[in-house]
Amino acid sequence: MISLLIKNAWLLTMQGEACGFVEKGAVAVDKDKIISVGKTEELENKWQAEKVIDATGKVVLPGLIDAHIHTGMALYRGVAQDMNNWLQKGVGPFFNGITDEEISIGSMLNVLEGIKAGTTTFGDYDYPMARIVNNHYQAGVRCHVASMVNELPSNLHHLRVGEIYPLDQTIGKRKLKEAIELLDKWHRKGNGRITCALGPQGADMVSKELLLEMRKLAKTYGVKVHIHVAQGERETDQMIKRYGMRTVEYLNSIGYLDEDLMAVHLTDATKEEVELLAKSGVSMIHCPGSIGLIDGIVPPVIEYMEAGGKVGLGSDQAPGNNCNNMFNEMKSAAIFNKIKKADPTVMPAEKALRLATIEGAKAIGLEKEVGSLEVGKKADMIIVNMQEPGLSPVILKPVNNIVANLVYSARGHEVETSIIDGEIIMENRWIRSVDEQEVIQKAQRAANSLSERIVKRIQSVNN
Amino acid sequence: MISLLIKNAWLLTMQGEACGFVEKGAVAVDKDKIISVGKTEELENKWQAEKVIDATGKVVLPGLIDAHIHTGMALYRGVAQDMNNWLQKGVGPFFNGITDEEISIGSMLNVLEGIKAGTTTFGDYDYPMARIVNNHYQAGVRCHVASMVNELPSNLHHLRVGEIYPLDQTIGKRKLKEAIELLDKWHRKGNGRITCALGPQGADMVSKELLLEMRKLAKTYGVKVHIHVAQGERETDQMIKRYGMRTVEYLNSIGYLDEDLMAVHLTDATKEEVELLAKSGVSMIHCPGSIGLIDGIVPPVIEYMEAGGKVGLGSDQAPGNNCNNMFNEMKSAAIFNKIKKADPTVMPAEKALRLATIEGAKAIGLEKEVGSLEVGKKADMIIVNMQEPGLSPVILKPVNNIVANLVYSARGHEVETSIIDGEIIMENRWIRSVDEQEVIQKAQRAANSLSERIVKRIQSVNN
């Protein structure tokens, strides 16, 4: 008796070069693993399961991978957009005013938002991760977490634009210690659901010594280095002033470019930089929604893919995206790039879907465990109901419209059921592991308190 | 005793220059009209209502206006994208193979998709509208419909690219007759819910004589002319070959540019053309989702607004968008333009929301009836539940995040209740007027039959 059989589905296994479509497909799961993928007829005859899900009229595909998200910023969703100087003027007051407790409360909102929109793996990169990671553990999701490390004093928002940031080694040491504690406590825990990475916030925000120490630690633990790279003018300006080099050149000069590096954004990376990174085996994490909204820019992801580099997608942070939904990222990746290149053929739907599944898994180093429906992999998958006005009808011939409609029309609420590590985390839109309304209400109370505190602070500054 | 009181809402009345926010707001409705808008305290004391909706934790705003949609193409959603020659190679086989009955069945899918995503007014521009309009009537939505008129023979897809289309006057006469019958039968019917326009498909697709005759008829009936303008290379090439002029110059030369004209797309309109159109009082209907996906282009809507022109938003057709959801159009309008201009400050969220409500109403000539919550206007409004992980928390100070989150994070399924012409058409996601699952199943059966027919046709051509 195996634990779960899903049958009669339109399967997108994401095996092979495209999306691995199977009509009337089935997936057999035992405990946390996929033990068989194929036609319903065959699997139904072969396996007896404790639970059988009839997925007639539904699509089953690997759970989506959000390779870069700051869940700690969810509590101030939507307070900063349509503006210049997003970081300093927009999110600054909230970023500087929020408590660790509030960060943790807000973070759970993002986890639920993700689950309800098909995310099964969260590449969470934030601080204090020691608290945040408990939300992932409790919700039952897979995560790849890094405790963000910088050496920035907290009063940084008083700096003039263009002034070089002071770096404070005592801050770096404390945050590095926390990052190591996270690794020791959580890496490969929860049946392997939780994995860790080292997370320097940017080459401009930590000293060279600390960057090198973190790389050494990453090699010792066998984990990735997750870092923002080439985020734009502010960063480049700091790097030139401090080191006389742009970020990629600098990282190369200190031997940082290899396949354990995840480079997030590459907003203003040049063609040469992209080629160097891709050739070096570095992964690019592309966050189209966030960079489009905050900067009005489409990072060079097409060039990165053409150069043979590994690419994953991320939803980044709630203030300045303003959602954390991989259906939004897939669609944005596809259409923003068509607009950038004035060419509707670039980034077709199936490529976008691959970035959110199997390619994303490769980009974060979890391709042996997730990203496709394949025997031996972890049972992370979602069931999407196509019996919605916006996703129907389903046409299989002479063209198959399923992937196009998932990428260009689905919005996330069509994800009915989510299975992570073989456990049903959400069934028929009901999240089993966490009380959704309680999380929302708690977040609202925390936001009210944060909001009042910031209003008072502004008043006291003005008086 | 009035018919309906909605109370305790976050109101976006869309009155004034911005979004007209009211905290703890209420709207009183009697029959089809809004009779009072204000604070809950005041309205609650003043009115006794047959039905009271407590909208605590919810936003109430005017129903969204989809100023340009071809609902007749919904049955082949998602069959054509990521390609060049979208019209001829992509949708061609379906467009030419579908029956009137199938068009009508598919159309209802789009109506339901729209209702469930907050659309209350459908600017439907398709053929045969005589059949399609029954869906709008039955579903209880507001619509502004045009029976699309062209003089194109049905075997047009055999033309070589660049070859001038033949125009067939007998076709034009027949379709014009149908357009007039539609006006006579439906204009201002259903308590004024149904209004009509005249709909030549494009200046390249009907003769000058027919264009002029339609304009004359529009003046006689007091209705708009709804037409595709400057759709891109194909159209411009035809216009230059036929008349030696680009479309806008041609329309100007025949006296077509005035405030009764709705010009859809303007994909490749020049700055001078945009200024001429805006100055002439012509409305631009901007379809960012569709043109972004099909062409990789962002039409000059910023320039149109800067020139003082009226602008509405449209979702266009299901194959090549691939959704008909005004939340998608608002978000796309905002972010695509930021990308085009490399400037995050252009098209802020509140402007996008205005385009889908009050500005859209002006663009289609229904601003006296809909587009804002204002005493004397029709009661067309939606209730959006903000108690969703992706829309919470709600912050009112020091910045209000409601509009930003509606535009950048909401996806449509958060619309809980829809009121049109004072009637509750959808309540708690359940559509009262039409059986949603029956529509979906019927559309699937029709799509199966269409699909089989097209496969056979392709086989017979190949044999």
Side-chain angles (χ1 to χ4, degrees), chain B residues 35-52:
Chain B
I35 55 167
S36 193
V37 179
K39 286 280 187 182
T40 295
E41 264 188 15
E42 296 163 28
L43 269 67
E44 224 174 9
N45 286 330
K46 196 166 170 188
W47 305 105
Q48 287 287 319
E50 279 166 40
K51 183 170 175 94
V52 176

Side-chain angles (χ1 to χ4, degrees), chain B residues 223-295:
Chain B
V223 300
K224 296 263 184 195
V225 175
H226 185 161
I227 183 174
H228 293 128
V229 176
Q231 292 200 81
E233 275 177 30
R234 179 187 44 73
E235 176 185 321
T236 304
D237 180 55
Q238 293 281 326
M239 293 302 292
I240 298 277
K241 282 178 178 155
R242 202 182 288 273
Y243 304 107
M245 283 183 259
R246 290 168 55 88
T247 304
V248 175
E249 186 185 357
Y250 169 77
L251 289 176
N252 191 31
S253 78
I254 63 170
Y256 229 74
L257 307 185
D258 67 19
E259 55 190 17
D260 291 331
L261 192 69
M262 290 167 55
V264 180
H265 297 322
L266 303 183
T267 309
D268 68 352
T270 65
K271 195 163 187 301
E272 292 68 32
E273 288 169 348
V274 159
E275 282 166 3
L276 173 61
L277 291 167
K279 199 184 64 185
S280 308
V282 174
S283 306
M284 170 181 185
I285 309 301
H286 178 48
C287 302
S290 149
I291 303 302
L293 183 48
I294 295 173
D295 297 316

Side-chain angles (χ1 to χ4, degrees), chain A residues 240 244-254 257 273 276:
Chain A
I240 298 277
M245 285 183 258
R246 290 168 55 87
T247 305
V248 174
E249 187 184 356
Y250 169 77
L251 289 175
N252 191 33
S253 77
I254 63 169
L257 308 184
E273 288 169 346
L276 174 61

